[in-house]
Amino acid sequence: MLTRMSEFFVRTLREDPADAEVPSHRWLVRAGYIRRTAPGIYTWLPLGLRVLRRIEAIAREEMAAIGSQEVHFPALLPSEPYKQTNRWVEYGDNLFRLKDRKGADLLLGPTHEEMFTLLVKDMYSSYKDLPLSIYQIQNKYRDEARPRAGILRGREFVMKDSYSFDIDDEGLAASYEKHRAAYIRIFDRLGFDYAIVRAMSGPMGGSRSEEFLAVAENGEDTFVRSPGGYAANVEAVRVAAPEPLDFSDVPQAQVRETPDVPSIDALVQLSNERYPREDRAWQGDDTLKNILFKVIEPDGTTHPLAIGLPGDREIDEKRLEAALEPAEAVPFTDEDFAAHPHLVKGYIGPRALGETSESKVRYLVDPRVVTGTVWISGADEAGRHVYDLVAGRDFTPDGVIDVAEVREGDPAPDGSGPLTLARGIEMGHIFMLGRKYAESLGLKVLDQNGKLVTVTMGSYGVGISRAVAAVAEYTCDDKGLAWPRSVAPFDVHVLATGKGDDIRTEATRIATELSEAGLEVLFDDRKASPGVKFADAEILGMPTSVVVGRGLKDGLVEIRDRRSSERRDVAVADVVAQVLDEVRG
Ligand code: ATP
Ligand code: MG
């Protein structure tokens, strides 16, 4: 196909959009690929749509290669299935809900597990029909709290979501592996540097789950890796609990005066000055700090929660969010403290906490707080702390919660060495859902013995529209977009620069021949200066350009490579063959 710039629906902008936070957003808007319609909601212009369609095509090819079949659900969905699985409530404010004229609840699908489960239930009834894998490429709707970076985190976005249906666990494991392999091929073709990391299943439920993260400094996800091959999203890191310690030699707990210690550092300093110990100095991780939250359940009910963790660590908000999902936690306010007179703000110790204590506040501790560990903690009186407080002797928490920050250098939970931290953009997520949805929606089939059994499922998502932004983010430079061949909206950009009929005639011939040979050709035939055309070609970012201009009088045209900036003159007669070679690799 030959597309003439003089007729093409595109406008490049000289200014950055005011809300652009990351380069991909800036360039996709400036190059006329997308246009903001509302916060987190974008219109695809012809160029952007071409990239989107190419990424969709890659996903379709790889889904077909594992035998997955395409279907297409509506985005406007009835609420009943989502009420049945409780996601109508659990999704909280992220769900776009609406009512029809009769007052019935509807929603805009944030993801489609319920609908796929019911569809298979409708159509299939025997083990002979399984395994099955079906997918769609669909717009999803989520009222994200922080839509960000253009289409990277939108409120409407395009997802490829597939679902597998199997009769038993081995079947599910095989379906999961097939999808994992397909995802590796998809992301290899998109050219990302990506990591496959352990993930939390979150409100999806289920057992095994992994994310495909494009490694990127400005990514929103933090993940860890060890030299021995451990890789996990920080939310999914489970700290290995140390063995319980023998505490028979630890003296009795004592309350000591600790005036004016507004911070852990101040407490440590005062302890070393006033109460030094012989073997080593007190440190932050000798202290046990207790932080209070109000937990809000999806149905609106609330309860207090105290979290105890070593004083040198902070709570990681994302880990806390993931651990409590679908409930949310907000810090205790002065009002909340007033309602709990047993809790002395700044001096809360483990002995005032726990479901069996007077406060009745649920008390969960970091996995490092095992039986026999010795702590300095609040004495539940202003200006005092308790020393030699032993877990399992002087206090017993209600349970464990693994939400402390993970640090560079922390040991990997599987013993595979020290962790390093990196950031990434979540591009894909695969889940072994198991029987959760099939159970709540009653998807059963007859097995070989004529017995009804519940089907086991997997669910697998790729952020297709996010991938447009992520590929752009990886490849753009300070001049504009620079697409890899696998997803570029056009294979080649032909520019006619300079006046003269022969330039125009020759450029038209080259563009036409390339197009007839099967390439997607963008032809800059506008009456604009060479400077404008060169700048636009750099912003738009086609991998290869052919410049027909001044050199033509010597029988030469120029081939430019957008990504390497390499330029070379070639004889007019050879240019079509050379470009075809390059594009077809
Ligand atoms: P995130 O943690 O980034 O919010 P998620 O875990 O909620 O994503 P999933 O439900 O796993 O997302 O969705 C599958 C894929 O859809 C994600 O891996 C991501 O690539 C994409 N995706 C999710 N939310 C958005 C969004 N708001 N905008 C664009 N793509 C998204
Ligand atoms: Mg996810």
Side-chain angles (χ1 to χ4, degrees):
M1 271 276 289
L2 178 63
T3 301
R4 290 170 192 276
M5 282 280 272
S6 58
E7 297 161 3
F8 194 43
F9 190 53
V10 63
R11 205 41 98 238
T12 55
L13 309 176
R14 296 291 158 225
E15 300 289 321
D16 287 340
D19 59 342
E21 297 161 53
V22 298
S24 61
H25 182 196
R26 177 161 83 228
W27 290 120
L28 287 169
V29 172
R30 276 188 56 180
Y33 281 64
I34 58 170
R35 200 87 196 152
R36 197 180 91 129
T37 307
I41 304 178
Y42 284 80
T43 301
W44 296 93
L45 301 180
L47 279 167
L49 199 54
R50 278 172 172 258
V51 179
L52 184 76
R53 295 287 183 246
R54 292 202 69 183
I55 296 178
E56 287 178 3
I58 291 174
R60 283 199 172 93
E61 283 168 27
E62 297 301 342
M63 284 299 106
I66 59 165
S68 196
Q69 302 169 61
E70 187 168 2
V71 299
H72 197 79
F73 276 92
L76 180 62
L77 300 173
S79 61
E80 286 73 20
Y82 290 78
K83 286 178 176 163
Q84 230 167 311
T85 59
N86 205 33
R87 286 214 289 188
W88 177 257
V89 175
E90 285 176 3
Y91 245 103
D93 290 340
N94 263 15
L95 195 64
F96 279 107
R97 298 155 216 264
L98 54 159
K99 280 197 192 296
D100 69 10
R101 61 172 71 208
K102 296 191 179 121
D105 286 324
L106 296 165
L107 63 126
L108 296 176
T111 168
H112 281 72
E113 278 75 12
E114 284 81 349
M115 306 315 296
F116 274 81
T117 310
L118 288 173
L119 181 66
V120 174
K121 180 182 170 181
D122 241 11
M123 294 181 53
Y124 277 2
S125 57
S126 161
Y127 74 95
K128 290 181 200 151
D129 299 323
L130 304 181
L132 170 71
S133 167
I134 44 182
Y135 78 97
Q136 64 174 345
I137 295 179
Q138 240 289 4
N139 282 2
K140 301 283 192 244
Y141 298 85
R142 296 183 187 176
D143 195 0
E144 299 275 358
R146 289 172 291 277
R148 173 181 170 264
I151 52 174
L152 210 48
R153 180 175 295 285
R155 296 197 295 164
E156 176 182 271
F157 60 97
V158 183
M159 197 201 288
K160 187 285 303 173
D161 49 326
S162 18
Y163 304 83
S164 64
F165 300 85
D166 281 277
I167 189 88
D168 53 25
D169 294 352
E170 296 83 76
L172 170 57
S175 295
Y176 184 91
E177 284 309 325
K178 271 194 193 173
H179 263 94
R180 196 175 188 275
Y183 276 33
I184 288 174
R185 285 191 296 271
I186 292 173
F187 294 118
D188 282 349
R189 288 178 67 178
L190 293 178
F192 289 130
D193 172 16
Y194 64 92
I196 307 176
V197 307
R198 292 172 201 228
M200 292 278 284
S201 326
M204 293 284 191
S207 48
R208 183 165 172 211
S209 147
E210 287 167 294
E211 285 169 353
F212 289 72
L213 301 181
V215 182
E217 268 169 39
N218 52 18
E220 283 183 277
D221 283 85
T222 307
F223 68 100
V224 295
R225 289 190 271 205
S226 77
Y230 178 84
N233 193 312
V234 282
E235 292 161 23
V237 172
R238 289 293 146 261
V239 171
E243 290 296 314
L245 302 173
D246 173 22
F247 53 84
S248 47
D249 291 343
V250 183
Q252 270 200 331
Q254 319 107 63
V255 173
R256 289 170 171 165
E257 298 292 331
T258 54
D260 304 324
V261 287
S263 65
I264 295 290
D265 284 346
L267 172 63
V268 169
Q269 199 187 340
L270 176 138
S271 301
N272 282 320
E273 283 162 17
R274 287 211 195 170
Y275 312 112
R277 55 178 180 185
E278 278 161 23
D279 49 345
R280 61 197 173 87
W282 297 110
Q283 298 181 55
D285 61 359
D286 291 312
T287 68
L288 175 62
K289 68 179 170 197
N290 298 303
I291 301 176
L292 278 124
F293 294 94
K294 185 159 77 184
V295 176
I296 308 168
E297 298 293 339
D299 66 6
T301 57
T302 68
H303 55 89
L305 172 68
I307 297 178
L309 73 165
D312 64 330
R313 293 205 185 238
E314 300 304 327
I315 287 182
D316 180 319
E317 266 178 47
K318 281 195 159 183
R319 277 161 62 73
L320 178 63
E321 207 177 291
L324 297 180
E325 220 176 9
E328 271 173 55
V330 294
F332 243 42
T333 59
D334 288 341
E335 217 180 343
D336 296 318
F337 275 109
H340 288 87
H342 299 102
L343 305 180
V344 186
K345 197 177 165 186
Y347 299 92
I348 302 165
R351 294 192 286 193
L353 299 168
E355 283 165 349
T356 56
S357 72
E358 273 185 283
S359 73
K360 300 204 172 45
V361 171
R362 185 167 167 72
Y363 183 41
L364 301 177
V365 295
D366 184 83
R368 296 168 189 85
V369 187
V370 291
T371 294
T373 48
V374 184
W375 304 96
I376 303 175
S377 194
D380 306 305
E381 296 172 64
R384 295 195 166 130
H385 280 83
V386 197
Y387 289 68
D388 289 325
L389 195 66
V390 176
R393 179 186 77 179
D394 303 319
F395 68 96
T396 310
D398 298 315
V400 169
I401 189 164
D402 198 352
V403 295
E405 63 183 306
V406 178
R407 287 193 202 139
E408 185 95 19
D410 280 350
D414 63 356
S416 60
L419 296 175
T420 46
L421 291 170
R423 295 184 76 82
I425 304 168
E426 184 186 322
M427 299 311 307
H429 198 165
I430 54 180
F431 293 93
M432 278 193 190
L433 287 179
R435 297 184 175 79
K436 177 177 156 165
Y437 289 89
E439 238 151 45
S440 52
L441 297 165
L443 169 58
K444 292 180 183 182
V445 295
L446 291 172
D447 73 3
Q448 265 156 311
N449 308 314
K451 214 175 88 210
L452 269 181
V453 293
T454 303
V455 169
T456 181
M457 294 170 51
S459 106
Y460 317 89
V462 172
I464 299 284
S465 52
R466 177 175 287 183
V468 175
V471 175
E473 189 69 29
Y474 260 96
T475 49
C476 70
D477 57 22
D478 55 357
K479 299 189 196 79
L481 298 164
W483 297 106
R485 291 198 192 288
S486 58
V487 301
F490 291 94
D491 297 310
V492 57
H493 193 155
V494 177
L495 292 78
T497 61
K499 304 203 178 77
D501 285 349
D502 46 341
I503 288 181
R504 212 175 174 74
T505 310
E506 203 49 34
T508 309
R509 179 193 64 82
I510 293 167
T512 309
E513 281 184 26
L514 287 169
S515 156
E516 281 168 357
L519 299 197
E520 288 292 330
V521 181
L522 182 62
F523 178 28
D524 197 343
D525 61 339
R526 294 175 300 172
K527 290 197 170 60
S529 74
V532 166
K533 292 187 178 184
F534 288 135
D536 276 352
E538 280 181 323
I539 292 182
L540 297 186
M542 294 335 130
T544 301
S545 300
V546 174
V547 182
V548 185
R550 274 204 304 250
L552 190 65
K553 61 182 184 319
D554 306 317
L556 297 173
V557 296
E558 191 182 67
I559 297 180
R560 292 186 176 188
D561 185 292
R562 175 66 182 85
R563 296 182 72 180
S564 67
S565 300
E566 192 192 80
R567 302 172 180 194
R568 61 180 207 277
D569 284 331
V570 298
V572 164
D574 298 340
V575 68
V576 169
Q578 289 212 14
V579 170
L580 286 176
D581 263 6
E582 240 170 66
V583 172
R584 292 175 178 161

